[in-house]
Amino acid sequence: MRPTARYIPFALFVAWCAASPLRAADSWQAGVSKVKITPAEPMPMAGYAARGSAHATGTLNDLWAKTLLIEDAQGQRGLLVTMDLCGIEQELSHMMCERLSAELGLQREQIILSVSHTHSGPVVAKNLRPMHYQMFDAADQKRVDDYANWLVDQVVASALQARERLKPSRLAHASGVVTFATNRRNNPADEVLARRAAGLLAGPVDYSVPVLAVFQADELVATLFGYACHCTTLGDMEWSSDYAGFAQDELESLRPGCTAMFWAGCGADQNPLPRKTVELAQQYGSELAQGVIDVLSGVLQPIEPVLTTQYQEIPLPFANLPSEEQLNNDSQADNIYTASRARYLLAEIAAGKPLEPAYPYPIACWSLGKSLDWFVLGGEVVVDYSLAIKAEQPATRSTWVMAYANDVMAYIPSRRVLTEGGYEGGGAMVYYGLPTIWAPEIEALILQEVRRQRK
């Protein structure tokens, strides 16, 4: 624990809250809830192929699902669920949304399912399928299936509790800056410290820390914050929410009664560097928490009680699909993940599910009041997208870009990254079970839909 002097800005925030001009009539409604989703028993871990089917050996810090339900002055609702998980895939996402829709009367566009992309969480359903396909025994597969079903129940229970807690609220937003994210494509890990000291780090980054504050009376009951960086500080065998979890824990310890919720930005090509120690995960978490505190201690923009929600799945095209002959050859490959993907795809074809030329890619937008557009993208999205989307924001509105939401189906490279190749440009596709790399036009198609949804 660092000296108390580090937290002086938060004391200023408390004084600001007491005198805030946002004390005007409350016409938002908001409810917040959280539920622990740390597996109750050892089971396989997600995130790194090298782990194979190895089980977690303990818990460093717990995993959580946290829920914010908001309702504007006209009764329009939006439900955001943040989860300390590596990813969720399409089938589980649909199942979760169907349950939430049935229990809370919400439409699909009113629901956002966000994961932090911690690489120290459990295997969840079919996410990163080729890493695990035919590699688990029956007992492990049952553990994975049971956890996914239990997770849905926990999220629904949390959402129902958030609805029960709806109260008059005020919403406000602003953004800060934290600088530990590093473009991993352009900076060798062993050179990062020297390059940073010399001001020579290369490659695009997004250091912004968007913050949404939710007040009830004079109390801060929730703070939502994002950052564009992989949750990959840690790589051992303990459950952990990585730096994002340490940031949330620190914020909640500083403000009892406030639920801190992290969402991942377009950080697919960004790493916390250096990494690999618990101390570094705690350090980055503390830096991010301080970045949020600095925002809360400054001037926040009030948000008028108007919410507009949109959701669309666009067909995102693949490059040339492999033939069945090629898949049969790949199924005998020396690379176990190439072989695993081929066997999985051949099994899907045999079950009457032929390879499709495109993937239904989810894009959403929540527009809050007159000042904020919050875009929500599926998959592991590289930083080029957030920079491009923000570059087109109107002068009167702020723009936030969430990734790793609703369906984490693959990396989403920009045209630049796709052309350059490498892991993010195509190499990672094998681990997600998609048949080939993306077609070159995917960036243009995604940005076209973002422009259509922009208010």
Side-chain angles (χ1 to χ4, degrees):
M1 178 65 71
R2 278 186 288 274
T4 305
R6 175 177 174 81
Y7 304 116
I8 289 176
F10 190 70
L12 297 177
F13 162 69
V14 173
W16 175 89
C17 185
S20 172
L22 295 178
R23 195 184 290 273
D26 297 325
S27 46
W28 284 100
Q29 298 277 325
V32 190
S33 180
K34 59 186 287 190
V35 60
K36 189 182 299 184
I37 57 171
T38 311
E41 62 177 37
M43 63 177 289
M45 298 185 76
Y48 298 110
R51 285 180 174 141
S53 59
H55 289 192
T57 58
T59 299
L60 177 62
N61 58 337
D62 278 309
L63 313 177
W64 296 88
K66 300 177 181 180
T67 306
L68 172 68
L69 180 64
I70 59 174
E71 179 181 303
D72 71 9
Q74 291 74 41
Q76 170 76 357
R77 287 183 173 179
L79 178 76
L80 171 65
V81 181
T82 63
M83 294 169 279
D84 294 320
L85 298 172
C86 188
I88 57 171
E89 41 75 42
Q90 183 186 72
E91 186 177 316
L92 182 64
S93 177
H94 287 174
M95 181 191 308
M96 197 173 287
C97 287
E98 287 169 4
R99 284 281 306 277
L100 291 168
S101 296
E103 297 281 357
L104 283 84
L106 300 173
Q107 301 299 312
R108 180 61 190 85
E109 64 268 17
Q110 295 174 284
I111 302 169
I112 296 173
L113 304 176
S114 166
V115 297
S116 67
H117 198 53
T118 176
H119 280 44
S120 298
V123 174
V124 181
K126 296 178 181 178
N127 187 245
L128 294 164
R129 184 69 165 175
M131 283 191 187
H132 317 298
Y133 184 66
Q134 296 182 332
M135 296 181 191
F136 293 159
D137 60 22
D140 272 346
Q141 189 58 58
K142 185 176 187 303
R143 291 184 182 98
V144 170
D145 294 342
D146 288 348
Y147 179 83
N149 292 327
W150 176 79
L151 174 68
V152 173
D153 289 340
Q154 296 302 102
V155 167
V156 171
S158 179
L160 290 171
Q161 187 171 65
R163 185 178 65 180
E164 293 173 1
R165 294 176 175 176
L166 281 171
K167 292 181 181 179
S169 302
R170 292 169 289 122
L171 274 59
H173 73 94
S175 289
V177 173
V178 170
T179 61
F180 64 78
T182 305
N183 193 304
R184 69 189 192 187
R185 291 175 62 84
N186 300 99
N187 300 280
D190 60 355
E191 297 179 16
V192 165
L193 286 177
R195 288 190 179 195
R196 181 176 288 134
L200 296 175
L201 288 174
V205 294
D206 183 354
Y207 288 149
S208 64
V209 181
V211 177
L212 177 69
V214 181
F215 301 94
Q216 291 177 348
D218 289 333
E219 296 298 318
L220 180 69
V221 297
T223 181
L224 288 71
F225 61 101
Y227 196 57
C229 185
H230 254 84
C231 258
T232 53
T233 321
L234 301 172
D236 56 19
M237 298 303 297
E238 291 185 296
W239 303 127
S240 175
S241 44
D242 209 278
Y243 76 80
F246 286 114
Q248 293 172 87
D249 292 345
E250 186 164 323
L251 288 165
E252 291 182 356
S253 70
L254 287 169
R255 188 65 172 179
C258 174
T259 298
M261 301 172 66
F262 171 85
W263 53 270
C266 298
D269 49 354
Q270 312 292 310
N271 269 359
L273 293 173
R275 56 182 185 154
K276 300 299 186 185
T277 70
V278 172
E279 290 75 18
L280 283 168
Q282 293 170 329
Q283 174 187 320
Y284 297 141
S286 195
E287 288 178 20
L288 186 52
Q290 185 61 42
V292 175
I293 292 168
D294 290 345
V295 171
L296 294 173
S297 303
V299 177
L300 300 179
Q301 174 68 43
I303 302 176
E304 299 83 358
V306 178
L307 173 65
T308 303
T309 59
Q310 300 181 69
Y311 178 91
Q312 185 66 46
E313 293 180 1
I314 65 170
L316 212 59
F318 294 115
N320 295 331
L321 293 173
S323 66
E324 195 163 338
E325 179 182 6
Q326 182 180 339
L327 289 175
N328 277 309
N329 290 336
D330 286 349
S331 71
Q332 304 304 314
D334 292 335
N335 184 296
I336 61 172
Y337 305 109
T338 298
S340 178
R341 174 176 68 171
R343 291 168 189 159
Y344 170 64
L345 293 175
L346 287 168
E348 292 286 285
I349 292 170
K353 301 176 183 177
L355 301 184
E356 297 291 343
Y359 189 92
Y361 180 73
I363 302 175
C365 179
W366 282 12
S367 295
L368 289 86
K370 299 177 182 178
S371 60
L372 178 60
D373 293 320
W374 196 353
F375 292 99
V376 182
L377 306 180
E380 298 201 47
V381 185
V382 299
V383 74
D384 291 0
Y385 282 90
S386 64
L387 300 178
I389 293 169
K390 290 178 182 181
E392 296 183 358
Q393 75 180 23
T396 58
R397 299 182 69 83
S398 296
T399 298
W400 296 352
V401 188
M402 178 190 298
Y404 298 93
N406 294 317
D407 179 4
V408 184
M409 79 301 290
Y411 274 79
I412 305 298
S414 62
R415 190 181 184 95
R416 174 186 67 84
V417 171
L418 188 62
T419 301
E420 291 174 357
Y423 187 75
E424 298 87 355
M429 295 294 272
V430 65
Y431 299 108
Y432 277 100
L434 296 184
T436 187
I437 64 172
W438 298 110
E441 61 265 31
I442 66 164
E443 179 180 4
L445 292 170
I446 291 171
L447 295 180
Q448 176 181 298
E449 176 60 21
V450 165
R451 293 183 189 112
R452 189 193 69 79
Q453 292 189 20
R454 193 183 288 277
K455 186 173 180 179

